[in-house]
């Protein structure tokens, strides 16, 4: 039985902790704040509750696997899961709108044809065929296997090249896909919104970002009853059941090295805890910035964070309201996502509604997240009838709040091939023996599903050794 110290109580770190505990190891999690969940936060006031991080779950199979592998009680017995249908409502700048069904390519094609004109659905469907090819080429190496030492293979673009004989440059960016293959500005806006949700600029994001809409539209979107915070609670409770120990208010300031490998963690109060392995689940940029780990681990630098506007409204959600509405704005304004769960657990009673409005924005010092509250509220008015008359209270959460909560203002995106490899996160196996990286800033990158996968990869590397190549 090995002694394992885990830095941070985010979803990826807790996923690793639960799996390692089941494998017979003694696991202790050190979290600098007073709660678990990392970026999966919760704001509550006067009976209203809001998720301040992700609002929907994609690829729930990742957490089903976690719960099956760490106990007899499956995920659905621990949290309520509901498919969101329609998966999303899109309001375009020209006034048109479309409701996209959940996990139905044929339904999506039909909906786009009906809303945007004949041919729009076919163009989007043909694009998804090519996106699937990119997905098939990258799914295993970028999601299911640890990163190899030589990542040059990931620098190549997996999105299919133009058909032979066409005199044009290869497709290397998401913006080129929109211009060459979709053409309709509303389809382009639809494609761009998937990149924008992770803070990627379509003009510079590799064409492989096409896997983002493919993944969501193929595997679906799910809501967790009580909000995504309920999922974090379920994972935390599973850890406790597996006898993982949590120490809150414990800031890790150092990873001591002995005989050339990580030997434990040093805490801010001067305590040094010995360990055979250390799993760093905190954001890699914060670990490097604060000198907890040596400089040098590769990580994403998206330059964008999340602004969340929490709206407490009088009056319940009207019939026919979409759970998620994406508002596409013109004039350089950010794409805005409006979530209206209609969940009784998030409101004081049935005569009120809890709404969250989010957008990704630059985190540079000259950009103050609170300044976006007005544009976000204006965009939300397009999705919520009579919003201003119903508004009781609003609360703005900015990248500065994310910084205080997680240690990093930015929000990482999933690992993407192409683009010279610049969107690859830190490898799970660090250059220092005995030190591993988990969570959204580690392979395979940001997003709830990806964070859960990182925990599985780290657990596999510790249990089976450096030769571990992922699930078969």
């Amino acid at each position: 039985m090995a002694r394992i110290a885990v830095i941070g109580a985010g979803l990826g770190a807790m996923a690793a902790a639960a799996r390692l505990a089941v494998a017979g190891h003694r696991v202790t999690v050190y979290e600098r704040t007073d709660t678990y969940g990392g970026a999966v936060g919760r704001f509550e006031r006067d009976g209203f509750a809001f998720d301040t991080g992700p609002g929907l779950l994609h690829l729930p199979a990742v957490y089903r696997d976690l719960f099956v592998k760490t106990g007899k009680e499956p995920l659905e017995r621990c949290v309520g899961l509901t498919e969101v249908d329609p998966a999303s409502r899109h309001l375009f700048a020209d006034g048109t709108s479309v409701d996209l069904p959940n996990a139905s390519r044929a339904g999506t094609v039909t909906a786009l044809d009906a809303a945007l004109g004949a041919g729009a659905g076919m163009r989007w469907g043909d694009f998804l065929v090519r996106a699937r090819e990119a997905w098939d080429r990258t799914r295993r190496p970028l999601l299911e296997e640890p990163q190899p030492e030589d990542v040059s293979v990931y620098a190549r673009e997996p999105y299919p090249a133009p058909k032979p004989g066409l005199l044009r440059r290869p497709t290397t960016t998401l913006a080129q896909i929109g211009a060459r293959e979709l053409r309709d500005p509303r389809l382009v806006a639809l494609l761009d919104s998937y990149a924008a949700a992770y803070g990627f600029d379509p003009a510079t994001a590799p064409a492989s970002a096409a896997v983002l809409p493919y993944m969501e539209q193929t595997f679906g979107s799910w809501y967790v009853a009580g909000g995504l915070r309920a999922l974090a609670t379920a994972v935390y409770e599973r850890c406790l059941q597996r006898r993982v120990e949590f120490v809150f208010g414990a800031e890790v300031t150092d990873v001591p090295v002995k005989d050339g490998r990580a030997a434990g963690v040093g805490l801010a109060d001067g305590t040094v805890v010995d360990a055979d392995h250390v799993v760093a689940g905190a954001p890699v940029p914060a670990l490097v910035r604060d000198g907890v780990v040596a400089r040098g681990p590769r990580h994403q630098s998206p330059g964008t964070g999340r602004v969340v506007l929490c709206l407490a409204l009088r009056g319940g959600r009207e019939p026919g309201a979409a759970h998620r509405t994406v508002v596409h704005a013109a004039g350089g304004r950010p794409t805005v996502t409006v979530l209206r769960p209609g969940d009784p657990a998030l409101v004081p009673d049935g005569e009120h509604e809890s709404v969250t409005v989010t957008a990704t924005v630059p985190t540079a010092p000259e950009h103050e997240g609170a300044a976006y509250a007005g544009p976000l509220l204006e965009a939300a008015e397009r999705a919520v009838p009579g919003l201003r008359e119903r508004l009781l209270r609003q609360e703005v959460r900015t990248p500065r709040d994310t910084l205080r909560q997680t240690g990093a203002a930015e929000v990482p995106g999933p690992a993407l091939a192409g683009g010279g490899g610049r969107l690859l996160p830190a490898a799970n196996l660090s250059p220092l023996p005995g030190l591993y990286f988990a969570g959204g800033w580690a392979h395979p990158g940001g997003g709830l599903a990806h964070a859960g996968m990182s925990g599985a990869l780290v657990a596999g590397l510790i249990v089976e050794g450096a030769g571990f190549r992922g699930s078969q």
Side-chain angles (χ1 to χ4, degrees):
M1 179 177 69
R3 300 164 300 174
I4 299 176
V6 179
I7 305 173
L11 266 292
M14 290 196 295
R19 290 177 182 271
L20 289 166
V22 167
H25 299 298
R26 179 182 175 183
V27 185
T28 303
V29 178
Y30 298 91
E31 167 59 47
R32 67 181 184 87
T33 70
D34 61 358
T35 189
Y36 54 85
V40 185
R42 172 63 60 93
F43 173 72
E44 299 184 39
R45 178 175 292 175
D46 299 334
F48 291 90
F50 309 86
D51 281 328
T52 58
L56 294 175
L57 177 64
H58 306 294
L59 292 177
V62 172
Y63 288 92
R64 291 190 179 111
D65 180 75
L66 170 65
F67 277 73
V68 166
K69 298 289 176 60
T70 59
K72 296 181 180 179
E73 195 173 22
L75 175 64
E76 276 82 354
R77 288 186 184 175
C78 300
V79 298
L81 280 180
T82 305
E83 290 187 69
V84 177
D85 201 5
S88 56
R89 173 172 294 164
H90 291 262
L91 304 180
F92 297 104
D94 68 352
T96 57
S97 66
V98 61
D99 285 1
L100 299 183
N102 199 354
S104 172
R105 178 185 166 190
T108 296
V109 168
T110 299
L112 289 172
D113 272 341
L116 308 185
M122 180 176 291
R123 288 197 297 278
W124 185 261
D126 289 344
F127 153 71
L128 287 181
V129 170
R130 292 183 286 274
R132 177 178 179 174
E133 186 171 337
W135 167 264
D136 289 341
R137 291 175 177 177
T138 60
R139 175 185 59 83
R140 183 158 182 81
L142 280 188
L143 295 180
E144 299 174 1
E145 298 178 347
Q147 279 186 16
E149 289 187 21
D150 181 8
V151 297
S152 60
V153 64
Y154 299 139
R156 295 195 293 269
E157 177 55 62
Y159 189 78
K163 295 179 181 179
L166 292 181
L167 299 178
R168 55 185 179 182
R169 299 175 183 174
T171 301
T172 60
T173 68
L174 202 65
Q176 288 175 333
I177 292 177
R180 295 174 179 176
E181 302 176 20
L182 300 179
R183 299 188 294 280
D184 187 313
R186 296 163 297 184
L187 290 180
V188 172
L190 174 61
L191 174 61
D192 290 352
S193 67
Y194 289 93
Y198 291 102
F200 296 144
D201 180 354
T204 58
S208 65
V211 301
L212 301 178
Y214 172 81
M215 182 178 70
E216 180 178 311
Q217 294 190 9
T218 300
F219 302 107
S221 301
W222 301 73
Y223 178 68
V224 178
L228 264 293
R229 181 66 180 176
L231 176 63
T233 298
V235 176
Y236 170 68
E237 291 176 346
R238 176 55 54 90
C239 285
L240 294 179
Q241 292 166 7
R242 301 286 78 85
R243 299 189 178 182
V244 174
E245 181 182 357
F246 285 80
V247 182
F248 294 103
E251 181 180 1
V252 174
T253 57
D254 182 39
V255 175
V257 177
K258 182 178 180 181
D259 297 329
R261 62 177 289 117
V265 294
L267 306 181
D269 64 3
T271 303
V272 176
V273 182
D274 294 334
D276 301 298
H277 302 277
V278 176
V279 177
V284 174
L287 294 169
V288 174
R289 178 196 66 216
D290 298 338
V292 179
V293 301
R295 296 188 177 276
R298 178 188 58 252
H299 60 79
Q300 291 183 357
S301 298
T304 54
R306 183 181 290 117
V307 172
V308 181
L309 190 59
C310 305
L311 304 179
L313 306 182
R314 62 170 60 89
R317 189 176 71 167
E318 74 278 5
H323 185 123
R324 174 174 58 172
T325 300
V326 181
V327 182
H328 303 269
R333 291 192 173 189
T335 300
V336 173
T337 299
V338 181
L339 294 180
R340 307 178 66 189
D343 187 340
L346 306 182
V347 291
D349 54 53
E351 298 303 314
H352 295 87
E353 185 179 7
S354 171
V355 175
T356 54
V357 187
T358 64
T360 53
V361 301
T363 55
E366 62 269 22
H367 294 275
E368 172 51 57
Y372 290 93
L376 262 64
L377 188 64
E378 181 180 335
E381 285 187 284
R382 295 179 56 191
V384 183
L387 174 63
R388 290 190 186 270
E389 291 75 18
R390 299 175 57 194
L391 183 61
L392 293 171
R393 185 178 302 106
Q394 70 179 44
E395 177 80 14
V396 183
R397 314 292 288 185
T398 73
R400 291 185 181 180
D401 295 302
T402 307
L403 175 64
R404 286 191 290 269
Q405 180 180 349
T406 69
E410 297 175 304
V411 176
L416 294 176
R422 61 182 175 80
L423 292 181
L424 295 177
N428 305 115
L429 189 62
S430 87
L432 176 65
L435 175 64
Y436 306 82
F437 294 117
W441 288 94
H443 182 75
L448 281 176
H450 293 73
M453 293 176 196
S454 80
L457 290 172
V458 166
L461 286 167
I462 292 176
V463 173
E464 299 187 27
F468 172 69
R469 297 311 306 159
S471 58
Q472 301 297 322

